[in-house]
């Protein structure tokens, strides 16, 4: 018998034995693939809709679409409160370079125009999995400023913002954009009426019937405090953050600084509080 005949004679039974095993393996792999959870949809992505172009970014940083709509990105802040006046035009120019001319799917997610006629947008880049939210946050061209419009999106952007902040990218090069230390009372007071990040250790938690206080110092007339309502506290607990558990923790809070007895930030949702350690 020739070598060629011998190989054919031996391979047939082997193939016959391997075929059932291959079928079993393929079936198992298919079952495993079906068992894998589907990738969660990007909470910053726009819903289905017609493609439009980003026609312009105004001097104020607002976005104008080719269908005439004017808006801003929901729960994002471009850093106007932190960027010096001389640097603002260059910052807007960087945003224009990143966005103008892109074809996007846009939705407002039920949002209504504000007094300037702006709508809170979500923008997905056509033919890409990228969104305008992620693009700007990753480049340090915007920071998360929660207004409760796109909470899930805002939460998902925190790691991107942290990376841009660590690299001092974009607006994070500005001294006023940094996370202020809770003990920097004069610097915090100077930000009254403006959006800011404040970081420090929660010294005590005061719970009253109508208000909960996260105290970052012992002088209640001077030291920074974050406040929240019992309703907000219940919302935080659903997100895994109990106000009482923050005692002794170093946290970062974000929001508009208001001057009461002491400088304060009002917490209205879980995006405003990050446990640092």
């Amino acid at each position: 018998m020739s070598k060629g005949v011998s190989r054919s004679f031996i391979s047939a039974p082997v193939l016959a034995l391997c075929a059932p095993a291959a079928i079993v393996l393929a079936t198992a792999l298919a079952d495993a693939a079906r068992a894998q959870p589907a990738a969660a949809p990007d909470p910053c992505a726009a819903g289905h809709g017609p493609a439009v172009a980003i026609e312009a970014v105004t001097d104020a940083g607002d976005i104008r679409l080719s269908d005439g709509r004017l808006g801003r990105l929901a729960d994002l802040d471009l850093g106007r409160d932190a960027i010096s006046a001389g640097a603002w035009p260059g910052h807007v120019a960087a945003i224009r370079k990143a966005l103008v001319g892109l074809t996007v799917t846009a939705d407002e997610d039920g949002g209504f125009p504000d007094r300037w006629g702006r709508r809170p947008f979500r923008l997905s880049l056509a033919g890409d999995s990228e969104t305008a939210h992620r693009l700007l946050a990753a480049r340090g061209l915007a920071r998360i400023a929660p207004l409760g419009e796109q909470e899930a999106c805002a939460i998902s952007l925190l790691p991107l913002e942290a990376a841009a902040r660590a690299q001092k990218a974009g607006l994070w090069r500005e001294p006023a954009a940094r996370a202020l230390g809770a003990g920097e009372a004069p610097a915090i007071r100077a930000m009254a009426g403006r959006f800011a990040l404040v970081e420090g250790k929660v010294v005590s938690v005061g719970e009253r019937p109508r208000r909960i206080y996260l105290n970052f110092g012992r002088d209640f007339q001077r030291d920074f405090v974050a406040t929240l309502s019992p309703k907000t506290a219940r919302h935080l607990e659903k997100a895994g953050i109990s106000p009482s558990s923050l005692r002794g923790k170093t946290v970062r809070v974000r929001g508009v600084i208001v001057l009461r007895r002491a400088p304060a930030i009002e917490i209205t949702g879980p995006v405003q509080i990050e446990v640092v350690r």
Side-chain angles (χ1 to χ4, degrees), residues 50-54 99-106 123-128:
V52 293
I54 298 178
L99 295 182
V100 172
L102 293 178
T103 299
V104 298
T105 300
L123 304 175
S124 292
L125 279 56
D128 200 334

Side-chain angles (χ1 to χ4, degrees), residues 124-135:
S124 292
L125 279 56
D128 200 334
S129 59
E130 184 67 280
T131 66
H133 276 81
R134 297 194 184 286
L135 190 155

Side-chain angles (χ1 to χ4, degrees), residues 79-98:
R80 189 72 183 261
D81 287 345
I83 296 174
S84 59
W88 177 250
H91 184 67
V92 173
I95 295 171
R96 286 192 180 114
K97 184 177 180 180

Side-chain angles (χ1 to χ4, degrees), residues 35-36 43 48-50 58 62-63 71 73 75-76 88 106 109 127 130 137 141 168 181 189 192 202 229 236 276:
Q36 291 293 325
H48 298 292
T58 71
D62 299 330
I63 297 169
L73 293 175
D75 280 334
L76 278 193
W88 177 250
D109 202 38
E130 184 67 280
L141 298 176
K168 296 190 182 302
R189 284 183 174 275
V202 177
S229 68
L236 293 184
V276 178

Side-chain angles (χ1 to χ4, degrees), residues 18-250:
C18 289
I23 292 171
V24 170
L25 177 60
T27 302
L29 290 174
D31 290 342
R34 283 192 292 270
Q36 291 293 325
D42 184 346
C44 297
H48 298 292
V52 293
I54 298 178
E55 191 171 76
V57 173
T58 71
D59 291 343
D62 299 330
I63 297 169
R64 188 178 299 282
L65 302 179
S66 58
D67 61 5
R69 283 181 290 172
L70 179 71
R72 55 180 177 76
L73 293 175
D75 280 334
L76 278 193
D77 169 66
L78 301 182
R80 189 72 183 261
D81 287 345
I83 296 174
S84 59
W88 177 250
H91 184 67
V92 173
I95 295 171
R96 286 192 180 114
K97 184 177 180 180
L99 295 182
V100 172
L102 293 178
T103 299
V104 298
T105 300
D107 72 32
E108 302 147 31
D109 202 38
F112 295 97
D114 60 17
R115 58 180 172 169
W116 295 283
R118 303 177 306 173
R119 301 169 184 270
F121 287 147
R122 289 188 300 178
L123 304 175
S124 292
L125 279 56
D128 200 334
S129 59
E130 184 67 280
T131 66
H133 276 81
R134 297 194 184 286
L135 190 155
L136 294 189
R139 297 185 187 184
L141 298 176
R143 56 186 177 176
I144 301 161
L147 295 173
E149 297 166 330
Q150 294 292 335
E151 190 171 273
C153 172
I155 290 172
S156 75
L157 295 174
L158 288 173
L160 289 178
E161 183 197 81
R165 188 168 60 245
Q167 296 164 8
K168 296 190 182 302
L171 67 87
W172 300 109
R173 291 191 292 267
E174 294 285 329
R178 68 182 178 88
L180 300 170
E184 300 179 72
I188 296 173
R189 284 183 174 275
M191 292 293 288
R194 295 190 284 172
F195 181 87
L197 277 66
V198 180
E199 183 176 311
K201 181 178 287 188
V202 177
V203 174
S204 63
V205 178
E207 299 193 34
R208 304 290 183 270
R210 296 185 179 181
R211 186 64 41 189
I212 297 171
Y213 301 88
L214 305 180
N215 300 305
F216 288 75
R218 301 190 184 282
D219 186 342
F220 300 155
Q221 301 293 327
R222 174 182 178 279
D223 294 328
F224 175 73
V225 61
T227 68
L228 58 151
S229 68
K231 180 180 178 179
T232 298
R234 291 191 292 271
H235 186 29
L236 293 184
E237 287 168 359
K238 290 180 181 178
I241 304 172
S242 167
S244 60
S245 71
L246 297 175
R247 186 182 294 107
K249 299 284 182 65
T250 297

